[in-house]
Amino acid sequence: MPADSSKAKSSRVLRNIYVMLAYAFDSISRIETSSFSGEEFENLHELCAEILIQGVEAQTMRGLHRDYLRIRDELRTVRGRIDFASTTTTAARSRGAIVCEFDEYLLDTQHNRILKSVMELLLAEGKLDQYRRRRLEDALHVFDEVRSISPRSIRWRDVHYTRLTTEYKLMHGICWMVLEGLLQRESKDGIQLASWLGEEAESRLYERFLLRYYQRHNPELKPSAPHISWDLGGDVQGEEQLPVMRSDVVLTNGSCALVIDAKYYGSSFQRSRFGKVTLRSEHLYQLLSYVTNLAHKSDMAVSGLLLYAKTNEDIAPNFSASITGHRIYAKALDLDAPWREVEEQLDAVVKTAFSGMKNDRVESWSSRKLTESLCE
């Protein structure tokens, strides 16, 4: 519930955030949700620390990532390949040494540096109870050979995974959340961590989670997040000035498509100066633009869904209507519910949307047939 980020979140919401992260970072098949079912977390720092602690402990049992590093050094005995040219030019033989090139299998890798930097950050700045603080310190000892790096120096686009490092995805997802969503300031006064995610980080996680959820559970709907082209006509000038329309989730079922626009905001509504509560106009206009332009570029019946994360407001979005010939919905997803109910909500909104599109197509076909018969 994103209504007020400064308020403490329930342990259920925090556990649901954990599962969302597992989906978002393609680790849902590897998480042990049962190990968190009885846990009580006071804040997001504790949740992040617990996931990293358990993740590092499990990875240590499997084997931490190591990598080969090519080293050239003067040695008294032969190791690896002798570099005769360097041995001669550096006069190493006069010192009773030879220059060798060899590989060392080191723990000091990019994947481990990321973990160490964030664990140190949580230990220094996180709001942790003494029990988790001690366990985090113990987990950090396995990285004694790994050098510490500045959290700001991490370039996520340069982090790649192989079969040997795929288990790091969820732990790195936690690290990303800490650095992108919790890190407020890094200056001469030190680093500060927020107690909860910023709205932008929450929104990005929510969008990524929805796409991964449907990709895993509804692959037959071909879930994707495509760029939607503008339906341009006539002479076009300055096309490069048009904003990019990148959808959050698009699901297709035969001749029907559903555009889902994920919304994670403190308030789902706008209020007029007279107190009237309505859907946010910019959200509705954006979704309509996605739907109408996608419909013009395809032969499918296209509907749209504004899927809000439910807030603490007295009312929640619950809208359905045909606008310019397209079925438009606005619904709320209650992330404070047990996870099984969250899944049921996600499945229900899609089922309702596609059922609505089929009914609209039948009604449209019946109306057209009636009009044709009256005109005969």
Side-chain angles (χ1 to χ4, degrees):
M1 74 181 70
D4 186 349
S5 295
S6 64
K7 294 181 180 179
K9 311 293 178 180
S10 72
S11 286
R12 179 182 292 160
V13 171
L14 288 170
R15 286 195 294 273
N16 285 351
I17 287 288
Y18 167 53
V19 183
M20 288 171 63
L21 277 161
Y23 273 103
F25 291 94
D26 304 318
S27 302
I28 190 64
S29 61
R30 293 184 289 277
I31 68 170
E32 294 293 339
T33 53
S34 59
S35 64
F36 288 86
S37 59
E39 289 278 357
E40 293 294 328
F41 302 104
E42 292 295 325
N43 54 59
L44 196 56
H45 299 170
E46 290 196 347
L47 174 67
C48 293
E50 186 63 35
I51 297 173
L52 290 176
I53 290 168
Q54 292 195 25
V56 169
E57 288 174 350
Q59 192 63 44
T60 301
M61 296 291 291
R62 288 188 293 264
L64 291 167
H65 178 240
R66 294 175 181 268
D67 204 358
Y68 288 102
L69 179 66
R70 178 58 59 90
I71 296 175
R72 179 187 285 110
D73 197 7
E74 287 189 10
L75 302 175
R76 297 289 178 179
T77 58
V78 176
R79 183 178 179 184
R81 184 182 70 84
I82 300 176
D83 186 342
F84 289 101
S86 296
T87 300
T88 302
T89 56
T90 60
R93 292 188 62 183
S94 64
R95 296 187 292 275
I98 51 176
V99 177
C100 297
E101 282 190 352
F102 55 93
D103 292 328
E104 282 207 351
Y105 200 40
L106 301 177
L107 197 63
D108 187 20
T109 69
Q110 180 189 44
H111 292 75
N112 292 327
R113 290 174 205 146
I114 291 172
L115 290 179
K116 183 174 183 177
S117 69
V118 173
M119 291 170 71
E120 288 177 335
L121 179 59
L122 282 170
L123 192 60
E125 300 296 329
K127 298 176 182 177
L128 307 175
D129 59 33
Q130 288 303 313
Y131 171 67
R132 278 196 182 85
R133 189 171 292 277
R134 286 196 300 271
R135 290 174 60 222
L136 190 59
E137 289 174 342
D138 292 339
L140 263 170
H141 285 315
V142 303
F143 297 118
D144 286 344
E145 301 173 26
V146 179
R147 56 193 168 92
S148 299
I149 59 174
S150 167
R152 295 292 194 194
S153 70
I154 298 172
R155 298 291 178 264
W156 293 105
R157 291 185 178 181
D158 296 334
V159 182
H160 304 290
Y161 301 93
T162 66
R163 182 179 57 82
L164 298 176
T165 56
T166 187
E167 302 290 348
Y168 278 73
K169 282 184 178 180
L170 179 58
M171 292 187 289
H172 283 174
I174 295 297
C175 295
W176 168 85
M177 188 171 70
V178 171
L179 299 180
E180 297 294 317
L182 299 180
L183 192 58
Q184 287 188 324
R185 188 175 72 238
E186 185 177 12
S187 65
K188 63 180 181 180
D189 298 324
I191 292 174
Q192 284 190 351
L193 289 181
S195 59
W196 192 247
L197 293 175
E199 194 170 85
E200 182 180 352
E202 288 177 329
S203 181
R204 289 167 62 190
L205 173 61
Y206 185 53
E207 293 168 8
R208 188 166 177 171
F209 153 68
L210 288 177
L211 177 60
R212 294 291 189 267
Y213 178 87
Y214 287 118
Q215 284 176 334
R216 179 172 179 81
H217 294 284
N218 300 97
E220 73 281 0
L221 298 179
K222 303 178 182 63
S224 62
H227 285 83
I228 298 174
S229 301
W230 290 92
D231 182 38
L232 304 175
D235 294 331
V236 178
Q237 182 178 353
E239 182 178 350
E240 71 281 357
Q241 297 176 9
L242 285 172
V244 174
M245 289 191 291
R246 189 182 187 283
S247 58
D248 294 332
V249 185
V250 174
L251 307 176
T252 57
N253 182 11
S255 58
C256 299
L258 175 66
V259 180
I260 301 177
D261 204 12
K263 297 299 181 186
Y264 202 107
Y265 286 84
S267 175
S268 305
F269 299 98
Q270 62 186 12
R271 289 168 172 78
S272 71
R273 56 191 179 125
F274 303 107
K276 184 180 179 180
V277 178
T278 63
L279 293 171
R280 291 192 177 194
S281 55
E282 67 272 20
H283 294 173
L284 190 58
Y285 298 155
Q286 180 185 34
L287 181 63
L288 280 170
S289 181
Y290 287 179
V291 168
T292 55
N293 280 277
L294 180 60
H296 279 295
K297 291 291 184 179
S298 69
D299 296 326
M300 295 184 292
V302 183
S303 290
L305 168 64
L306 288 169
L307 188 54
Y308 289 89
K310 189 178 180 181
T311 69
N312 291 327
E313 294 171 303
D314 295 332
I315 57 175
N318 186 23
F319 173 81
S320 173
S322 179
I323 303 177
T324 64
H326 302 282
R327 178 63 56 174
I328 301 297
Y329 300 88
K331 301 291 182 182
L333 180 64
D334 185 5
L335 294 173
D336 199 10
W339 185 254
R340 179 57 59 187
E341 293 182 18
V342 174
E343 291 181 314
E344 291 172 355
Q345 294 175 67
L346 288 167
D347 297 340
V349 292
V350 171
K351 183 177 180 180
T352 298
F354 279 109
S355 297
M357 273 190 279
K358 290 178 181 178
N359 292 336
D360 286 348
R361 286 172 70 87
V362 171
E363 291 175 7
S364 176
W365 181 85
S366 299
S367 176
R368 188 170 66 252
K369 286 297 183 182
L370 178 59
T371 301
E372 290 173 355
S373 65
L374 291 174
C375 293
E376 290 178 351

